[in-house]
Amino acid sequence: MLDDNIKSQLKAYFEKIVSPIVLIATVDGSEKSTEMLELLNEVAEQSDKISLKVDGKAEHVPSFTVAKVGDVARISFAGLPMGHELTSFILAILQSSGYPPKTEQEVLDRIRKLDGKLHFQTFISLSCHNCPDVVQALNLMAVLNPNINHEMIDGAFFPGLVDQYQIMAVPTVIMNGAVFGQGRMSVEEIVAKLDTTSPQEEAAKLSEKDPYDVLVVGGGPAGSAAAIYAARKGIRTGVISERFGGQVMDTLGIENFISVTHTEGPKLVQALEQHVKSYEVDILNLQRATALRKFDQGIEVELANGAILKSKSVILSTGARWREMNVPGEQEYRGKGVAYCPHCDGPLFKGKRVAVIGGGNSGVEAAIDLAGIVSHVTLIEFDNQLRADAVLQTKLNSLSNVTVIKSALTKKVLGDGNKVSGLHYQDRINNSEHALELEGIFVQIGLLPNTDWLKGTIELSKHGEVIVNAKGETSLPGVFAAGDCTTMPYKQIIIAMGEGAKASLGAFDYLIRSSIPESEPAVAA
């Protein structure tokens, strides 16, 4: 099951095992159980500090637990942790053995202080690139706190559980029998959701921070580049980030990042974060900016928790978010059939009928990918023609289980109260009304800039983008902007990085010039 290259890598990783580990499997005579035992045997063979027992009595079969010898097992995998989840399995072994995690000490301390019994289950699909972040976060929490246990569940292995909990998006986290959250969550986000620390206390602590020279709002490619360029100038630099990495975290394959033939969004974000942290940058994660104000000594940025940060200059790099259809039923059935990530959630719709909204590159690529999983895809485009690249349209037209409907206005998402059952659209040519019977709707209609909080403060375009000049300057002196939230064309990762660097250089130039007092007028003799 594991090739020689992976086995060689595992041998090297397992040299870091601190204390012996035992894997306990619960199996039956099924093919899935056979596959699981094959994987566990191959993993155990890579280190004499790993043993395997096949006498488990777990509720879900097949499954296995990971624990230090002599400890009660608090981490389990119900499914085959291959693909993206193989890393989760390896980290569970290392961290259970006592190998220290690469996590901020403050976060580790907060995990250890959490009270009450917490039983987590994370539903995943092996094609989901956001799922491992959640699995690894909860596994770490189970390692550190004896009150916490966590089970990864592969929905493909346990369709009955998927139906029981009505899972229609991954990752979905169940805590003590109730839905805790959906989508990618970092360990910091999960802990913040569980910790009852007063928001007022946190706000007061943040407000006490000394003023920055450059404060970057946003931690995506543009914000990361801006922070690095500012820190390299030796000036006090801070980054406010609601979610470090932004939209890139939701990007699967990246093949146009020059000098890197292929990478994945989470991998690139990890590299960005490590690069930023290699400098003296104050990263304030899980913080959302809500207001921007000018004051005598510079700029104030107010956060959602009430904290106020001060800086001599600010760089806005808030990026963009998925554009929504804004039709009745969309919010009601979000995560219950309405989805925005075909790579993550597509496997949950195996053999079902789905629609893709949007005929650009993203929409057509989604339809092509889904056609290999679902029974039928209906692609709905508002315009009278698709806007995707010709090569993608050719591929789409070659698929027998895809129907394309053009000049169609989506009017309503239909459902039975629990999940999506269909979609209502209007033919824009003859105004006739139509309903499609569906079990899933994937929305792929572009992005919106995250600038709502800036309205009335700086000049925005009619599309809500921050208007910037060639130096990244906005209409408010001392405030610069870069990336997908601005009027700069071509929303690409590599362009955002360049714009972030440029805005940072512009801010540094502004700081130099604003620090020089104006010359006093000459006095006549």
Side-chain angles (χ1 to χ4, degrees):
M1 182 170 289
L2 301 176
D3 62 34
D4 291 339
N5 182 44
I6 292 178
K7 290 179 181 178
S8 177
Q9 291 179 37
L10 290 183
K11 283 184 183 290
Y13 286 136
F14 290 159
E15 289 178 2
K16 301 174 183 178
I17 292 176
V18 179
S19 299
I21 289 292
V22 59
L23 309 175
I24 301 178
T26 300
V27 295
D28 53 21
S30 67
E31 183 179 345
K32 292 177 180 177
S33 288
T34 301
E35 288 180 342
M36 176 176 289
L37 281 179
E38 182 182 351
L39 172 65
L40 296 182
N41 274 306
E42 289 186 4
V43 169
E45 288 170 358
Q46 309 313 311
S47 173
D48 57 7
K49 290 185 178 180
I50 303 176
S51 58
L52 172 62
K53 294 182 179 180
V54 191
D55 58 359
K57 298 178 181 179
E59 178 184 1
H60 302 134
V61 184
S63 66
F64 67 93
T65 61
V66 179
K68 184 166 65 175
V69 172
D71 279 1
V72 175
R74 300 193 296 273
I75 294 175
S76 59
F77 291 84
L80 199 65
M82 293 295 289
H84 293 297
E85 293 298 347
L86 182 59
T87 300
S88 301
F89 179 21
I90 305 312
L91 281 176
I93 292 174
L94 292 175
Q95 292 173 354
S96 294
S97 81
Y99 186 78
K102 296 179 180 179
T103 305
E104 300 286 344
Q105 188 60 47
E106 181 184 355
V107 176
L108 300 179
D109 292 340
R110 292 177 71 184
I111 292 172
R112 293 187 176 100
K113 291 177 182 177
L114 292 172
D115 294 325
K117 293 290 184 181
L118 301 174
H119 173 56
F120 289 101
Q121 296 169 296
T122 303
F123 283 84
I124 64 100
S125 69
L126 293 183
S127 61
C128 170
H129 57 286
N130 288 325
C131 292
D133 290 327
V134 179
V135 172
Q136 291 163 26
L138 290 167
N139 282 349
L140 174 60
M141 292 172 64
V143 167
L144 296 174
N145 191 321
N147 292 318
I148 299 173
N149 60 68
H150 175 239
E151 179 181 31
M152 182 213 83
I153 301 176
D154 184 350
F157 267 51
F158 299 94
L161 287 177
V162 169
D163 292 338
Q164 177 185 334
Y165 286 105
Q166 297 185 346
I167 305 297
M168 303 194 76
V170 291
T172 292
V173 177
I174 306 295
M175 184 184 78
N176 296 341
V179 174
F180 174 78
Q182 289 183 331
R184 180 188 176 272
M185 292 180 284
S186 66
V187 66
E188 292 90 350
E189 289 173 295
I190 295 170
V191 172
K193 197 170 181 179
L194 294 167
D195 196 350
T196 56
T197 301
S198 168
Q200 289 78 16
E201 292 178 18
E202 183 186 20
K205 184 178 177 182
L206 291 174
S207 295
E208 290 174 0
K209 287 182 173 289
D210 294 333
Y212 298 94
D213 292 310
V214 172
L215 181 59
V216 181
V217 183
S224 297
I228 289 169
Y229 266 70
R232 285 175 60 85
K233 295 295 185 182
I235 57 180
R236 178 166 162 73
T237 305
V239 175
I240 302 168
S241 176
E242 190 170 357
R243 182 182 72 151
F244 201 93
Q247 281 287 330
V248 179
M249 283 299 304
D250 302 322
T251 304
L252 188 58
I254 300 171
E255 297 177 340
N256 58 355
F257 191 71
I258 310 305
S259 84
V260 179
T261 54
H262 177 83
T263 188
E264 295 178 349
K267 219 166 154 185
L268 178 58
V269 169
Q270 185 180 35
L272 287 174
E273 190 168 10
Q274 289 175 349
H275 197 173
V276 173
K277 286 182 175 178
S278 69
Y279 294 94
E280 292 186 11
V281 176
D282 189 13
I283 299 177
L284 309 179
N285 205 12
L286 307 183
Q287 301 297 336
R288 180 168 58 87
T290 57
L292 184 76
R293 291 184 291 269
K294 183 84 172 173
F295 76 109
D296 291 343
Q297 286 77 42
I299 313 294
E300 285 183 346
V301 176
E302 184 174 343
L303 306 183
N305 61 11
I308 294 178
L309 302 173
K310 297 182 178 181
S311 183
K312 295 177 183 176
S313 65
V314 167
I315 298 174
L316 304 170
S317 57
T318 50
R321 63 189 183 278
W322 292 113
R323 185 187 296 273
E324 298 177 349
M325 296 182 291
N326 293 319
V327 299
E330 180 177 17
Q331 294 305 318
E332 180 182 354
Y333 293 104
R334 188 178 184 130
K336 299 177 181 179
V338 175
Y340 300 84
C341 180
H343 301 293
C344 299
D345 300 331
L348 296 173
F349 295 85
K350 184 177 180 179
K352 298 180 179 180
R353 299 178 65 86
V354 304
V356 172
I357 312 299
N361 282 350
S362 296
V364 172
E365 286 174 352
I368 293 170
D369 290 344
L370 289 166
I373 302 171
V374 305
S375 65
H376 190 271
V377 180
T378 301
L379 187 146
I380 297 177
E381 166 57 35
F382 178 83
D383 203 353
N384 60 5
Q385 60 182 358
L386 301 184
R387 292 164 283 109
D389 294 342
V391 64
L392 293 175
Q393 293 192 45
T394 299
K395 175 64 177 177
L396 183 75
N397 293 331
S398 72
L399 301 174
S400 60
N401 63 335
V402 175
T403 300
V404 177
I405 300 176
K406 303 172 188 175
S407 300
L409 173 63
T410 303
K411 299 292 291 285
K412 186 178 182 179
V413 173
L414 307 175
D416 61 8
N418 294 313
K419 58 185 179 181
V420 166
S421 63
L423 179 147
H424 180 206
Y425 74 92
Q426 181 184 55
D427 187 314
R428 295 178 55 240
I429 296 176
N430 58 26
N431 294 325
S432 59
E433 304 283 336
H434 302 269
L436 294 174
E437 290 188 9
L438 303 163
E439 290 151 296
I441 299 170
F442 290 84
V443 184
Q444 300 283 288
I445 53 176
L447 301 170
L448 283 175
N450 295 317
T451 57
D452 295 343
W453 64 288
L454 295 168
K455 290 177 180 177
T457 305
I458 58 176
E459 190 176 357
L460 305 177
S461 72
K462 64 180 181 179
H463 301 296
E465 299 167 317
V466 179
I467 296 175
V468 292
N469 66 11
K471 293 183 179 180
E473 293 174 308
T474 72
S475 60
L476 188 63
V479 177
F480 296 75
D484 287 3
C485 69
T486 73
T487 51
M488 285 298 165
Y490 312 121
K491 314 301 186 187
Q492 299 288 311
I493 293 171
I494 196 166
I495 292 175
M497 286 183 175
E499 293 296 314
K502 185 170 68 175
S504 191
L505 293 173
F508 184 67
D509 182 63
Y510 167 82
L511 291 173
I512 293 174
R513 294 177 183 277
S514 61
S515 66
I516 301 174
E518 293 184 10
S519 301
E520 295 187 6
V523 179

